[in-house]
Amino acid sequence: RNLNKFQQIAASVLDMLEKSVVTGLESKFPLPATADPSVQLEGNYAPVEERSVMHELEVTGKLPNFLEGIYVRNGANPQFEPAGGHHLFDGDGMLHAVQFKQGIVSYACRFTHTQRFIQEQKAGCAIFPKAIGELHGHGGVARLLLYAARSICGLVDGTQGMGVANAGLVFHNGRLLAMSEDDLPYHVRVLEDGDLETVGRYDCNGQLSSTMIAHPKVDPVSGELFALSYNIITAPFLKYFYISSDGIRGPEVSITLPEPTMMHDFAITENFVVIPDQQMVFRLKEMFSGGSPVVHNSEKSARFGILPKYDETEARLQWIDVPDCFCFHLWNAWEEGDEVVVIGSCMTPPDSIFNESDEALKSTLSEIRLNRSTGVSTRRELASLNLEAGQMNRNFLGRKSRYLYLAIAEPWPKVSGFAKVDLVTGEVKKYIYGPNCYGGEPTFVPRSSDPSAAEDDGCILAFMHNESTGQSELLVVDAASPSLQLEASVKLPSRVPYGFHGTYVTAKELSKQKL
């Protein structure tokens, strides 16, 4: 880095303070398992190096002929060894991409070059505080003060964004966007040979100034992208907006909340947006008493808000209580008469992902019905498995759908296979990876975009890692077959760590990419 004399001295002093004071303070308190790097980065959660594109990968079986495009999956992959605590969600964004092109399969993995990544790469170490692993208790306060000091001295600049872009992915208006809810999305370009390059932080041509959550929704009919943005410090704590199919942002609607609330996901129907206001809230002051700023507010009643998609204010927003409900992910929603039907996975304990808990985590696939006439909700369990991280046929998003493809999160947090859930019959078909083999989110790829085609006519893509052999593969499974038949397996040239969410971009969509 090009530092002047003052900055060189300041950097040395602050580095010394970090090692002697901050880490010393942190060492007085044992790290919970949820923030212990030796736990969070163990085995196949450990980071990997970037890999440039490799072609002609070995394929066992026969790939379906409609598979022409690229599968990209996001995940957290720390660039540097953590100096303090580290949570699974804290790592830098890395994309793993498998391209299918005229029968040839290629693979590449690349960091998303966020502003945070670029600055830390130049510094040669982590200089931004980790949002979950470090920011708890008095050590978290010390980390924030250290960051403030580095900012004042010009050693770090958070004004251009501090996000890691490690969670969600969406392709909209000719751009592949990588997201985490702490920043604007990042535009990543897919190159002709299947490699990836970061174009930069994407503000929709100056129309976006606030963050975007990790799970925006693209309406399959209109092509519009719907999204939320939340703020954990100043009101309004929540905003809702949409972006047209050609990139024009609609009105930004401020949503009144009593305190900042975690909203990792939400849902849309044909006419409404469904907003969860649940019991996981942000209270930064908790750090001063030694606690975590991510808190389960047991006195709060969870609720879902229903707002007409194109309203310009919150005036017609209707809140309906859904007691003791925390859905980290919502898979789909649609309208049935006076009711809005929401399909999601309800987690208990709600804060077990963020804070250590003696109670085993359960993630229960559930149907939540919100009656707009009575203002009353009902909820019922749809499957007894731990089902988390997954997708549906995106051609049916916001409309009544029948099938879901979800990760079997057992033994938590590992994924031993995936399930195809029939929401009409209740049947759950399982695809189990086998002994010492684990994976992540399954991604459904429809055979065509024809809305009249069978909903499950397509294939399921899923990364799988064999912990005994160290080999990683991409599995291609026939979604419509009675026994979820394996059609093909792609042997990958390097280990693929367990990650988060992915998307499939067709060759037709790639042909319309924008710079």
Side-chain angles (χ1 to χ4, degrees), residues 179-493:
M179 296 151 297
S180 54
E181 46 248 48
D182 50 1
D183 205 342
L184 293 176
Y186 274 81
H187 176 197
V188 177
R189 184 168 176 80
V190 179
L191 303 183
E192 186 70 25
D193 64 355
D195 211 343
L196 305 169
E197 69 173 10
T198 305
V199 177
R201 197 164 177 246
Y202 182 65
D203 65 0
C204 195
N205 296 319
Q207 299 175 91
L208 293 181
S209 58
S210 53
T211 63
M212 181 189 288
I213 68 167
H215 293 285
K217 309 297 181 186
V218 177
D219 188 293
V221 176
S222 69
E224 296 162 319
L225 179 146
F226 298 85
L228 300 178
S229 171
Y230 67 76
N231 189 313
I232 67 171
I233 299 175
T234 59
F237 299 123
L238 181 67
K239 295 178 181 179
Y240 157 71
F241 61 91
Y242 65 90
I243 300 172
S244 69
S245 59
D246 56 356
I248 306 301
R249 199 205 75 186
E252 195 174 64
V253 182
S254 295
I255 307 294
T256 303
L257 297 176
E259 61 182 330
T261 301
M262 170 166 286
M263 293 189 190
H264 182 68
D265 203 354
F266 73 116
I268 62 170
T269 69
E270 286 190 71
N271 298 295
F272 300 104
V273 57
V274 183
I275 302 169
D277 177 24
Q278 301 171 119
Q279 294 169 302
M280 292 304 299
V281 300
F282 295 96
R283 293 177 179 171
L284 299 183
K285 64 181 181 181
E286 293 292 326
M287 287 193 293
F288 292 97
S289 57
S292 168
V294 184
V295 177
H296 172 220
N297 181 359
S298 59
E299 297 179 356
K300 176 182 179 180
S301 177
R303 59 182 185 166
F304 283 65
I306 303 171
L307 179 71
K309 269 182 176 176
Y310 303 106
D311 278 15
E312 299 187 8
T313 73
E314 65 173 333
R316 292 199 293 168
L317 176 62
Q318 179 184 12
W319 289 109
I320 297 177
D321 284 353
V322 186
D324 300 319
C325 174
F326 175 69
C327 292
F328 203 54
H329 293 109
L330 301 177
W331 309 119
N332 199 19
W334 61 84
E335 299 156 39
E336 287 187 9
D338 289 338
E339 291 187 321
V340 171
V341 181
V342 182
I343 309 295
S345 290
C346 297
M347 279 190 174
T348 53
D351 62 341
S352 54
I353 291 180
F354 308 99
N355 301 310
E356 198 166 25
S357 173
D358 294 330
E359 185 180 344
L361 183 141
K362 287 184 63 179
S363 185
T364 305
L365 183 64
S366 304
E367 176 193 82
I368 301 163
R369 288 182 171 265
L370 309 170
N371 191 304
R372 297 174 54 239
S373 294
T374 65
V376 175
S377 71
T378 59
R379 177 162 44 130
R380 69 183 180 97
E381 181 178 307
L382 298 176
S384 58
L385 291 169
N386 268 359
L387 296 176
E388 252 302 332
Q391 295 184 9
M392 53 168 290
N393 185 331
R394 62 187 181 186
N395 295 327
F396 290 79
L397 185 69
R399 281 78 185 166
K400 187 171 184 177
S401 59
R402 179 169 182 172
Y403 299 109
L404 293 176
Y405 308 90
L406 302 173
I408 301 174
E410 297 173 353
W412 178 267
K414 290 184 178 180
V415 169
S416 55
F418 60 82
K420 175 186 178 181
V421 181
D422 187 329
L423 297 176
V424 173
T425 67
E427 181 183 24
V428 178
K429 293 181 180 179
K430 303 177 191 177
Y431 186 97
I432 303 299
Y433 297 133
N436 295 313
C437 293
Y438 303 95
E441 176 191 70
T443 294
F444 178 80
V445 181
R447 184 180 299 273
S448 75
S449 58
D450 184 354
S452 65
E455 188 183 330
D456 61 349
D457 185 12
C459 68
I460 304 163
L461 303 179
F463 282 125
M464 182 192 77
H465 180 73
N466 188 318
E467 295 191 350
S468 297
T469 65
Q471 176 66 50
S472 293
E473 303 173 55
L474 179 70
L475 306 183
V476 183
V477 174
D478 183 354
S481 62
S483 59
L484 295 179
Q485 180 182 347
L486 179 67
E487 293 189 275
S489 173
V490 179
K491 187 176 181 179
L492 300 171

Side-chain angles (χ1 to χ4, degrees), residues 35-102:
D36 187 344
S38 67
V39 175
Q40 297 291 305
L41 298 176
E42 183 267 340
N44 196 42
Y45 291 99
V48 294
E49 298 293 323
E50 283 191 321
R51 180 177 284 272
S52 57
V53 66
M54 291 190 67
H55 301 287
E56 299 186 353
L57 302 184
E58 179 183 336
V59 178
T60 302
K62 184 179 180 181
L63 294 168
N65 57 15
F66 66 88
L67 213 52
E68 283 283 318
I70 192 165
Y71 169 56
V72 190
R73 197 220 66 197
N74 212 341
N77 194 82
Q79 181 181 188
F80 296 106
E81 182 178 350
H86 182 88
H87 187 276
L88 181 64
F89 297 166
D90 284 335
D92 297 285
M94 175 174 272
L95 302 177
H96 298 262
V98 179
Q99 185 183 53
F100 304 91
K101 193 172 186 178
Q102 299 175 349

